[in-house]
Amino acid sequence: MTSQVAQAQESVHTPGRKRDASRDDALRQAALEVLAEVGYDRLTIDAVAARAGAGKATCYRRWAGKAELVVDAVGRMKAAPTQPDTGTLRGDLVELTCHFNDVDDTFRTDVQAGLVSGLVHDAKLREAFAELFIAPRKAVYRAVFDRAIQRGEIAPVPNYELLSDIVPSMVFHRLILTGRPPDPAFILTILDQIVLPLTKPCAQGEAAQNPNTSHTQTRTTSS
Amino acid sequence: MTSQVAQAQESVHTPGRKRDASRDDALRQAALEVLAEVGYDRLTIDAVAARAGAGKATCYRRWAGKAELVVDAVGRMKAAPTQPDTGTLRGDLVELTCHFNDVDDTFRTDVQAGLVSGLVHDAKLREAFAELFIAPRKAVYRAVFDRAIQRGEIAPVPNYELLSDIVPSMVFHRLILTGRPPDPAFILTILDQIVLPLTKPCAQGEAAQNPNTSHTQTRTTSS
DNA sequence: CTTTTGCGAAACGGGCTAGTTTCGATACGA
DNA sequence: TCGTATCGAAACTAGCCCGTTTCGCAAAAG
């Protein structure tokens, strides 16, 4: 973006001290930590620079401002890697959701929650978030469902994209509204009571439309 | 809360000019509008007072600060009233979700989105939000499901609370991450492909556990 | 009329933040 | 060695916001 980048790549003539690449990483890491702790809108360049043990000038020499720094830092976070293959759909989903929501490693969750306050206003941040968190998640979910289908474990699901959004949506909802980090038991409940039942052939999309052809089997009295 | 309230109710002796009740409403309404437009953390008392055509002193004479004003204003919003009774579960849910998410009236949605930036940090605001938005929603959902059960339309659902969170969660997720207001088609898709299928008896909670006893009936070939 | 309070408007002090600039020290190339 | 660019640190300008206070005026009670 800035002129320094072009100079660094095109090493025409480079007098003077070289830029310390370790400062880039330190600042990015500090930005992620501050982001996780106080959220996007309360993140200040001063706090990031201080945590990195760097001067503000060093920071502004690399990024134009807060938005660019955060987007770059979030963008370079190690994307969720594990493509689980436990042999069962449930096993894959459990590992997947627990990993994506980082039940064990709270840092990624905190970063995600910290970004929320910025997502509302900043469209650029929203794009970066969608590309860096949502898109890879969707891809992994697709692979897991496809493997289960090829395995013959479930019938083909036309709406895997919808299914793969259930857990993240409900965890996100819970996180913002209650302020509590994702609970493994909560995730398992969603999986066992919502997602997995929907993969059964009897519940494939053909709902309602004719609500009066119902099953009048159970009343409030004893069955 | 403040001493003025006690004085107003207990009219012992009230010298001087009376407080203009219309200023309360004007300030609350202005607060909601600013909240919907710029969000909680970017809301300033100055902006609210200016929009209400009032002085800041008038505002601070009634509320201690930003948090109290917003909580009071949100709390006095007309709560979702319509207890739908269309005769079918699907009809009730459609009316319910579309109303709660205000497909037609975007103001309530904007207020909700505007609150998000404050929910992350402010626990008090989170409690108010939960009490004023979540609790009544949950109650209405419960009534709708209960009526469907009594009607014999569906089997008793032990997890109505979980089911009633699906639509709001996914709409919320979509709202924050894409920035787009809730789409009626999206809501209908969730209802018909997720919520309603789960009310069928074959999909009642007993999922997975034994993934190998699967139903190897349907392959990718024609059924 | 006088007193007391509410009203809108404006100003003020204190605090926080962004982004720039300065300073002495350090590292690199010519 | 000399020039240049980076480094951390700090000072600095400018702006925004909060919460309080002041001011002139309007209304209600004695």
Side-chain angles (χ1 to χ4, degrees):
Chain A
M1 191 76 70
T2 53
S3 59
Q4 303 93 349
V5 178
Q7 291 182 3
Q9 289 181 349
E10 191 87 19
S11 61
V12 185
H13 47 288
T14 56
R17 184 175 178 173
K18 284 179 182 175
R19 230 178 240 188
D20 187 354
S22 74
R23 296 297 83 202
D24 292 60
D25 293 331
L27 284 167
R28 273 190 285 258
Q29 179 62 28
L32 290 180
E33 291 176 12
V34 176
L35 181 63
E37 288 173 13
V38 304
Y40 180 80
D41 46 45
R42 299 193 186 182
L43 175 145
T44 65
I45 300 290
D46 299 72
V48 172
R51 172 165 309 219
K56 284 201 296 178
T58 306
C59 191
Y60 278 106
R61 201 175 287 123
R62 293 154 209 274
W63 296 280
K66 177 169 155 178
E68 289 77 3
L69 167 60
V70 171
V71 168
D72 186 33
V74 172
R76 305 214 187 196
M77 274 184 77
K78 56 167 176 54
T82 49
Q83 180 89 350
D85 194 0
T86 65
T88 70
L89 176 59
R90 185 176 189 274
D92 283 359
L93 288 178
V94 167
E95 187 156 336
L96 198 55
T97 54
C98 286
H99 179 272
F100 254 106
N101 295 287
D102 271 343
V103 173
D104 46 348
D105 177 16
T106 57
F107 184 67
R108 198 180 167 87
T109 300
D110 291 338
V111 169
Q112 201 166 341
L115 279 171
V116 170
S117 58
L119 292 177
V120 183
H121 298 293
D122 195 327
K124 189 170 182 177
L125 198 63
R126 213 154 47 213
E127 290 175 20
F129 185 82
E131 186 180 344
L132 297 166
F133 283 81
I134 310 299
R137 183 182 75 197
K138 194 177 295 181
V140 179
Y141 267 91
R142 165 163 213 123
V144 165
F145 278 114
D146 281 347
R147 214 175 313 119
I149 293 170
Q150 288 183 342
R151 216 186 287 127
E153 190 176 344
I154 62 169
V157 280
N159 50 359
Y160 86 94
E161 201 162 327
L162 201 64
L163 290 182
S164 66
D165 268 349
I166 295 178
V167 171
S169 294
M170 297 189 76
V171 169
F172 184 70
H173 191 253
R174 186 189 182 83
L175 173 66
I176 302 302
L177 263 51
T178 72
R180 299 281 21 114
D183 177 13
F186 179 64
I187 294 179
L188 289 180
T189 303
I190 301 174
L191 283 180
D192 286 334
Q193 299 207 6
I194 297 180
V195 178
L196 287 170
L198 286 173
T199 62
K200 293 187 165 187
C202 67
Q204 289 288 343
E206 34 91 21
Q209 299 289 50
N210 43 3
N212 272 344
T213 59
S214 61
H215 21 278
T216 345
Q217 36 162 349
T218 51
R219 304 284 295 182
T220 50
T221 56
S222 64
S223 63
Chain B
M1 191 72 72
T2 53
S3 59
Q4 304 93 349
V5 178
Q7 290 181 2
Q9 290 182 348
E10 191 88 21
S11 62
V12 185
H13 47 290
T14 55
R17 182 175 178 172
K18 285 180 180 173
R19 234 179 233 186
D20 186 355
S22 74
R23 298 295 84 204
D24 293 59
D25 293 331
L27 283 166
R28 273 192 286 259
Q29 180 61 29
L32 289 180
E33 291 176 13
V34 175
L35 181 63
E37 289 173 14
V38 305
Y40 180 80
D41 47 44
R42 298 193 188 182
L43 176 145
T44 67
I45 301 290
D46 300 72
V48 173
R51 171 165 311 218
K56 284 201 295 177
T58 305
C59 190
Y60 278 107
R61 202 175 287 124
R62 294 153 209 276
W63 296 278
K66 176 168 154 178
E68 288 78 4
L69 167 60
V70 170
V71 167
D72 186 33
V74 172
R76 303 214 187 196
M77 274 184 76
K78 55 168 176 54
T82 49
Q83 179 88 352
D85 194 1
T86 65
T88 69
L89 177 59
R90 186 175 187 274
D92 283 0
L93 288 178
V94 167
E95 188 156 334
L96 197 56
T97 52
C98 286
H99 179 272
F100 254 105
N101 294 288
D102 269 346
V103 173
D104 46 347
D105 177 17
T106 56
F107 184 67
R108 199 180 168 87
T109 300
D110 291 338
V111 169
Q112 203 165 340
L115 278 170
V116 169
S117 59
L119 292 176
V120 183
H121 299 293
D122 195 327
K124 189 170 183 178
L125 198 63
R126 213 155 46 212
E127 291 175 18
F129 185 82
E131 186 179 345
L132 298 166
F133 283 81
I134 310 300
R137 183 182 75 196
K138 194 177 293 180
V140 179
Y141 267 93
R142 166 163 211 122
V144 165
F145 278 114
D146 281 348
R147 215 176 311 121
I149 293 170
Q150 287 182 345
R151 214 185 289 128
E153 190 177 342
I154 63 169
V157 280
N159 50 0
Y160 86 95
E161 203 161 328
L162 201 66
L163 290 182
S164 66
D165 267 350
I166 295 178
V167 171
S169 294
M170 298 188 76
V171 168
F172 185 70
H173 190 253
R174 186 188 181 83
L175 174 66
I176 302 302
L177 263 53
T178 72
R180 299 282 20 116
D183 176 13
F186 179 63
I187 294 180
L188 290 180
T189 302
I190 301 174
L191 284 180
D192 287 333
Q193 299 207 5
I194 297 180
V195 179
L196 288 170
L198 286 172
T199 64
K200 293 188 165 188
C202 65
Q204 289 286 344
E206 35 89 23
Q209 299 289 48
N210 42 4
N212 271 346
T213 60
S214 62
H215 20 279
T216 347
Q217 38 162 344
T218 50
R219 302 286 292 181
T220 49
T221 56
S222 64
S223 62

